[in-house]
Amino acid sequence: MLTPIPILIPELPSTDELIPYLRRIDSTRTYSNYGPLWREFRDSLAAYVSGNSHQNEVWVTLTNSGTTALELALRARLGPKARYCLLPAYTFIATAHAVVNAGLEPFFADVDERSLAITPQIAVNALRHMPQPPAALVVVSPFGSPPDVTAWEKFEADYGIPVIFDAAAAVTSIDHVGHQPLSVSLHATKVLGIGEGGAILTADRALRDKTTAMTNFGFSGSARISEIRGGNYRISEYACAVGLAMLRIIERRIERLKRVSRAYLERLANLDVRTQDGCGTQWLTMTFNVVLPDYRLEQTLAQFDRKQIPWRRWWGLGCQKHPAFANCPGTDLPVTVSLAPRVIGIPFFDAITHEQIESVCAALEASS
């Protein structure tokens, strides 16, 4: 009987790697509410992103999930008469939930066939179909690809629509941080994971201070006065301990994921499937996808099932297919409808063996 290959195996710091940080928590007896590990992790994450993007200043707000990071970033940039939020239909459903949690109604737009992302031109076309200008636009970075921040800064300057980035899986690949907030996830399934958590990245210190206050009921400074509306979106000292330990080993983890990516890319090079541009060479993901041609989608998935090779549509068929969001307005979605079924996640994790990669690629080859 064949031994099934896992689709994904997260890896967080080991117990031994965590112990020094846990002892620090024991010594301070501070467990939440902006403790010393929280400050150190916040500043260390900012330094890490700053080093990757070659910028002097990156400011970070830590949150308890990537979804709440996006929600707070949206709330922080909205005007008083907000209604619609423009976003791509092809995204993980958390994006749509963050939009409605911020008090907005999603308006779905299509995506580009090649990049899997919304583009400024697609957004401009979508504006013509909206009953009123959107209060905000969420730009999603598909599966960890870095967003084109410069292009979207120009879009915001041209159209006056606040842009917020859902860069959930892109914290290790972001190459520029501007004043528009980038919301990232630190979930265990991300390259830089801490279990559960998120962050808002920005070059705007005032925005950092505002969203940080929002994570603690709108308190700012030492006075326990709620100056803006917020909630309890804080992250604990224990989560920050994992984050600090993770930053110490992240380069080692990245090198292992690069090796796995290269092995897949070399094996897939002669097959009639494609991967996202730059995936595995310019940026990394933990949800490695192949885009299958329509004419052999069914036989490929049947071959995977016969060989007990797991596969996923990580983002499903688009937000518009979920009952909770099926009645939301939007443009026509021909690319999303055609593309979403064909973006197939294959087994990918840092300990995958050469034999397991060969089994996955042989199944792809057999169905061609």
Side-chain angles (χ1 to χ4, degrees):
M1 182 174 179
L2 296 173
T3 301
I5 305 171
I7 186 74
L8 184 153
I9 303 178
E11 183 184 18
L12 298 186
S14 68
T15 301
D16 289 342
E17 290 163 332
L18 288 175
I19 282 176
Y21 300 100
L22 299 181
R23 293 198 189 283
R24 288 175 57 185
I25 295 174
D26 289 346
S27 68
T28 63
R29 296 177 68 175
T30 300
Y31 306 105
S32 189
N33 292 28
Y34 308 152
L37 269 64
W38 174 88
R39 290 192 295 273
E40 185 176 342
F41 179 48
R42 178 198 64 183
D43 295 343
S44 297
L45 183 60
Y48 174 80
V49 174
S50 177
N52 284 350
S53 57
H54 306 291
Q55 292 176 240
N56 291 328
E57 289 190 338
V58 174
W59 304 100
V60 171
T61 294
L62 296 174
T63 66
N64 54 15
S65 75
T67 307
T68 54
L70 180 57
E71 176 188 336
L72 292 181
L74 279 162
R75 289 170 58 186
R77 298 208 71 203
L78 295 182
K81 295 182 179 180
R83 180 178 178 185
Y84 292 107
C85 179
L86 182 61
L87 71 155
Y90 188 57
T91 181
F92 184 54
I93 199 63
T95 310
H97 280 288
V99 166
V100 297
N101 289 345
L104 300 174
E105 182 176 357
F107 189 98
F108 293 128
D110 214 353
V111 294
D112 174 66
E113 164 77 27
R114 187 74 202 178
S115 68
L116 318 186
I118 191 170
T119 65
Q121 187 57 56
I122 291 173
V124 170
N125 292 338
L127 294 178
R128 303 189 183 105
H129 298 275
M130 300 191 71
Q132 63 188 69
L137 164 64
V138 174
V139 175
V140 177
S141 301
F143 305 105
S145 56
D148 186 350
V149 174
T150 302
W152 288 107
E153 287 175 333
K154 183 178 186 305
F155 174 91
E156 181 169 330
D158 289 345
Y159 292 92
I161 298 168
V163 173
I164 294 89
F165 294 100
D166 178 355
V171 69
T172 58
S173 57
I174 289 169
D175 52 19
H176 179 66
V177 178
H179 285 68
Q180 298 164 323
L182 292 115
S183 303
V184 300
S185 172
L186 303 175
H187 190 267
T189 56
K190 303 301 184 284
V191 176
L192 200 167
I194 67 171
E196 190 69 83
I200 303 168
L201 315 175
T202 181
D204 183 346
R205 183 171 184 172
L207 181 61
R208 188 281 304 267
D209 293 344
K210 181 178 182 178
T211 52
T212 298
M214 292 171 74
T215 67
N216 190 31
F217 307 107
F219 297 155
S220 61
S222 58
R224 293 177 63 81
I225 302 297
S226 184
E227 297 179 355
I228 56 176
R229 292 184 179 182
N232 182 1
Y233 301 97
R234 297 186 302 263
I235 192 170
S236 76
E237 289 288 274
Y238 290 101
C240 293
V242 180
L244 288 167
M246 191 69 188
L247 284 173
R248 289 181 66 90
I249 64 172
I250 188 61
E251 294 305 326
R252 183 180 74 202
R253 177 167 173 73
I254 284 173
E255 284 305 312
R256 292 201 301 263
L257 292 175
K258 283 181 178 178
R259 288 197 295 270
V260 175
S261 299
R262 286 194 296 267
Y264 260 126
L265 292 172
E266 290 171 5
R267 185 63 175 81
L268 294 171
N270 296 321
L271 302 182
D272 63 339
V273 301
R274 68 176 178 90
T275 58
Q276 288 176 261
D277 293 342
C279 181
T281 56
Q282 300 171 24
W283 54 274
L284 294 172
T285 183
M286 284 290 292
T287 47
F288 193 97
N289 295 290
V290 293
V291 183
L292 298 171
D294 183 67
Y295 70 86
R296 69 178 185 89
L297 174 62
E298 291 186 9
Q299 57 262 42
T300 298
L301 299 184
Q303 182 76 359
F304 278 172
D305 291 342
R306 282 194 296 271
K307 298 294 185 181
Q308 297 186 35
I309 294 171
W311 56 273
R312 295 287 188 280
R313 290 188 176 103
W314 292 111
W315 286 0
L317 299 177
C319 292
Q320 81 285 356
K321 290 294 186 179
H322 291 264
F325 297 94
N327 294 325
C328 291
T331 66
D332 291 338
L333 304 171
V335 176
T336 298
V337 170
S338 168
L339 177 70
R342 299 184 286 112
V343 181
I344 303 299
I346 58 177
F348 187 87
F349 47 95
D350 54 7
I352 194 169
T353 66
H354 174 79
E355 290 74 20
Q356 289 172 324
I357 292 174
E358 179 58 32
S359 295
V360 175
C361 294
L364 282 167
E365 194 169 41
S367 64
S368 62

